[in-house]
Each structure stands twice: as structure tokens, then as C-alpha cells.
Amino acid sequence: MLTWSIARRFRRQRGHTGFLSFISASSTLGIVLGCAVLIVALSMMNGFQGALQNQLLRVVPHVEYQRVDGTFDDWQAIAEIAYRDEAVSSVRPVIKQTAMVQAGAEFKGVLLQGIATQADGHDVFDFIAADALQQLQQGSNTVVLGAGLAEDLAVTVGDTVTLLIAERGEDAFQAPKRHRLKVVGLFEFGGEIDHQNAYTSLATARALAGIESGVTGIQLSVRNVFSADAVAQRVGNQLPSLVYVNHWMRTHGHLYRDIELVRTVIYLVLVLVMAVACFNIVSTLVLTVTKKQAQIAMLKTMGLADWKIILVFVWQGLQNGLLGVFWGALAGMGLAWLLPDAIAALEALFAVQVLNDDIYFVSRIPSTLRWQDVTLVCSVALSMSLLATLYPAWRATRVEPARALHGSH
């Protein structure tokens, strides 16, 4: 194509001018860096969102109901109602109570959960050894402590701890009673959850809470975690008793909102970074038009239409954009794939930890590359590059052949 060939020739001839070549290289380098950094940043946000869905929400209930007064005496009937909703994947009973755990002179607050060790769809089981679950089911006065909690209390499997649980009287809470429980296993998930949770069987939890029968809560898992709010309301409206409705978006939704906020900021930065990188394309083409006035005048004299002259400079500017997008996308995808291992290697080399697993629910920087993000970044970069060529290309059509040719002699 004629216009593409002329654009390539103009680009090659520009190499003889150091300043013009430097500005052009700067624009290409800016697009490379912008594309690479933004692809990596979006991949990190995808990774954190995936960790939230596939890790944290495995142990945090998607939906939970608690009776306003009393207990659920027939939780299977509630399960039947919940399973009528196609969005519900599993239902399980739970008995929750707050307690103080004592080991020696150490005291720690804990959320004690009585769980049905044979219930379906309880991902908590994935973080507890099978023999510990068996001992919870078969024995009484046994408990599984969070690994972080056990470390804080300096206890191990086989030790005995004391639980202080306040019993509720007719009018007010009474003095707490002490209960001795044997530690039969550890719950190892990571993050603050390991420091806050302990698990026991439903039978033991009933004895500790002074409940004759039933459970205090019903937990649901839903197929689409982002529909938890709607499912909670929909199923809750069908229950025969008054209940408190809770779901993960209330308890941990701030994590998801933070991720989405950062993603929105990245999209804004994407446009701004590409705009700044493309400013150099404008400068390069304006200088090229100024220096190539005689050649432009000759092309117009030979009958080259104005729209083809515009195409010449559009193609020339897009060459910078295409080159920057190509290398930027390659670098960004490579960095996104290598990021977790690269960060882990740097942590080992400098003996530092970027994400403390005592605080966060992940211990490594997650990264999930999505092709739609790569496509978005490349599309924005190419669009900004195209917009940057329009004004210089229009200026090229304003060159007056007679004046330009006269001035060149």
C-alpha cells in the first residue's frame, strides 16, 4: 500500500535526526512500560479476587441464619426449604458461641463453632486432618484450634485447654463456667482466621452451650458468591420463624469493594498513562511534518489526495503504537505469569515477607492473567496512539506546495 510505504520511508529517514529519533523512542518505550505495568496490575487484582472467592469464602459462610429467639429444632426442614432454591449448593448446621481459651497463664478470645463433621459441602474440613475430624465425631470434650491460636497459647495436639463460657440465665448472663477440652487437631488456613476460630462437634457444642437439642445457626453455600445477598433474602423470606440474616458481603465485603476500587483506579490510570505516552507521538509527528514539508509538497503536487497524506502520518504514528503494544503486551504477560515466583524469590533473597500470613488470607502475591485485560490494555493503547496522530496528520494537509518548495531552495 502506497501510504504505508511512504510512512515507513519517513520513519527510516527519521533515524538520521538524533533528537527526533529520541522522542520517537521515548513514546514507544512509554507505551511498552504502560502496557506491561497495567497488565501486571490487573492480573494482581484478578489474583486477589480469585483468592477471595476460592480461599477465604471456603471457610467464611456465604449465607447464615440465626433464630431471633431460641434454636432451630429441626434444621433438616430448613435445609429442605433452602434446597428448593437452585442457587443453594449446600446447607449445614452450626452452633456458635464466644469463649475464652486458657492455657497456663495465657487467655485468648475465640469463636467456638460446633459443626456437623459429616455434613456435605463444608470446606472447613479441607483444613483439618481427617483423624482430627474422626476424633471430634467419636469423642466428647474435644476441640480443634486454629493453628495461630494454638501458637499464641503454646499448645500442641494432645494438650488440654480450658474454655470459659458465660452461661445465660433467665434475666442476665451468669458467671462463666470452665470446661476442659482436649486438643485433637489444628485448623490451618492462614491469616487472622487461624487466630480467631476453634471447632468442636455439635454434641460437645450443645453441652457447652447448655442446649438440649437443635442448633443456633444454619449456613448456606451458594453457587455464585456474588448473589449471596439476593439468595439470603429470598430463602429467608420462606423460613417459618423470624431469623437474623447475614452473608459474607456484610462481614467481608469490604475486601471485595477494596479490590474493585483499586481496579477502577487502575482503569483510570490506564487512560492517563497511555495519554502521557502518546503525547510524544504528537511531538514526533509535528516535528516530522515540519521537517518533511518539501516532501509533502511534492506528494501533493504529484496528485496525492489529502486523505492519503493523512493516512501516511496516521500509519507512521501507529507504527510506534503497534511496536509499543506488541512488546508491552509480551512483557506484561511474562511478568504476570512469573510474578508470584519472582516475588517469592526476592522474599527469600532479602529475608522479607511482602504479605504476612498472620494478617492476610494469602501469603503470596497472587496473579491471574486474563486475555480480556490484555485486549483492553492493547485496545486503549492503540486507540490513544491513533488519536495522537490525527492533529499532526491534519497539519500535513495544510502545507502549501508553492511556499514549501520555494522555502526549500
Side-chain angles (χ1 to χ4, degrees):
M1 190 165 54
L2 177 61
T3 54
W4 176 262
S5 300
I6 296 173
R8 290 190 63 187
R9 175 169 296 186
F10 280 178
R11 182 178 172 82
R12 286 198 303 268
Q13 291 176 351
R14 187 194 58 214
H16 300 294
T17 307
F19 179 67
L20 196 58
S21 180
F22 172 76
I23 296 178
S24 177
S26 298
S27 66
T28 303
L29 182 61
I31 295 173
V32 170
L33 292 176
C35 288
V37 170
L38 291 168
I39 289 172
V40 171
L42 289 173
S43 298
M44 284 179 56
M45 292 302 102
N46 296 335
F48 278 112
Q49 183 173 332
L52 174 67
Q53 292 181 238
N54 302 323
Q55 290 181 241
L56 182 63
L57 294 184
R58 293 176 65 188
V59 296
V60 173
H62 299 169
V63 178
E64 185 169 6
Y65 301 110
Q66 289 184 323
R67 279 199 60 170
V68 174
D69 185 22
T71 60
F72 295 102
D73 293 326
D74 186 6
W75 73 268
Q76 289 88 352
I78 304 298
E80 291 180 5
I81 295 173
Y83 277 127
R84 293 173 193 165
D85 195 308
E86 295 182 354
V88 176
S89 60
S90 66
V91 183
R92 52 192 177 271
V94 67
I95 297 176
K96 283 187 176 183
Q97 51 194 318
T98 56
M100 292 291 293
V101 182
Q102 179 185 6
E106 291 291 328
F107 288 84
K108 293 288 181 180
V110 65
L111 176 62
L112 182 65
Q113 301 187 51
I115 57 175
T117 54
Q118 295 179 339
D120 295 330
H122 208 316
D123 289 330
V124 168
F125 299 159
D126 295 339
F127 304 96
I128 302 176
D131 60 336
L133 288 172
Q134 186 176 6
Q135 292 184 61
L136 280 185
Q137 179 67 24
Q138 296 176 351
S140 60
N141 296 327
T142 54
V143 67
V144 169
L145 294 181
L149 181 63
E151 183 180 353
D152 294 339
L153 296 171
V155 299
T156 59
V157 175
D159 292 346
T160 300
V161 295
T162 301
L163 263 68
L164 284 76
I165 300 176
E167 294 192 355
R168 186 177 181 85
E170 295 182 0
D171 299 322
F173 284 102
Q174 299 175 351
K177 285 192 174 182
R178 294 175 177 269
H179 304 269
R180 301 280 290 174
L181 276 72
K182 180 182 178 182
V183 179
V184 295
L186 299 179
F187 168 76
E188 301 184 61
F189 174 77
E192 292 185 357
I193 291 178
D194 278 5
H195 296 263
Q196 299 171 347
N197 287 269
Y199 298 90
T200 188
S201 66
L202 284 177
T204 299
R206 285 194 187 98
L208 296 176
I211 299 173
E212 294 183 1
S213 62
V215 295
T216 62
I218 304 291
Q219 296 178 346
L220 312 183
S221 291
V222 298
R223 304 184 193 283
N224 180 5
V225 295
F226 299 108
S227 67
D229 187 7
V231 174
Q233 298 299 329
R234 194 163 61 234
V235 175
N237 290 334
Q238 302 176 41
L239 299 184
S241 54
L242 293 177
V243 295
Y244 294 112
V245 180
N246 203 4
H247 50 81
W248 76 268
M249 298 190 77
R250 287 181 180 172
T251 57
H252 293 80
H254 62 282
L255 295 174
Y256 174 71
R257 288 190 292 271
D258 290 346
I259 293 171
E260 289 303 301
L261 176 61
V262 173
R263 190 192 301 275
T264 301
V265 172
I266 290 174
Y267 288 143
L268 177 61
V269 170
L270 166 63
V271 176
L272 295 178
V273 167
M274 292 306 170
V276 171
C278 292
F279 281 155
N280 282 336
I281 293 180
V282 177
S283 303
T284 302
L285 293 182
V286 168
L287 289 174
T288 302
V289 169
T290 302
K291 294 184 66 66
K292 302 292 184 183
Q293 287 193 15
Q295 289 90 328
I296 295 170
M298 291 177 63
L299 290 172
K300 296 185 73 171
T301 302
M302 294 170 62
L304 192 67
D306 284 351
W307 69 271
K308 290 188 176 181
I309 292 176
I310 290 176
L311 272 182
V312 168
F313 289 94
V314 167
W315 290 135
Q316 185 178 344
L318 278 180
Q319 287 178 42
N320 284 3
L322 288 169
L323 192 62
V325 166
F326 176 75
W327 289 111
L330 283 183
M333 290 187 291
L335 287 173
W337 278 322
L338 297 174
L339 185 64
D341 293 332
I343 295 296
L346 290 175
E347 288 178 338
L349 180 62
F350 295 103
V352 296
Q353 191 171 15
V354 176
L355 293 178
N356 189 340
D357 56 5
D358 286 339
I359 301 174
Y360 303 101
F361 59 91
V362 289
S363 58
R364 298 183 61 184
I365 295 290
S367 179
T368 303
L369 181 66
R370 292 180 181 170
W371 290 109
Q372 54 264 42
D373 291 330
V374 177
T375 302
L376 174 65
V377 171
C378 294
S379 299
V380 171
L382 287 175
S383 298
M384 298 297 291
S385 300
L386 176 62
L387 290 175
T389 65
L390 296 181
Y391 172 70
W394 174 80
R395 279 196 57 177
T397 64
R398 301 297 95 193
V399 173
E400 298 180 8
R403 180 177 298 179
L405 291 174
H406 177 74
S408 64
H409 293 291

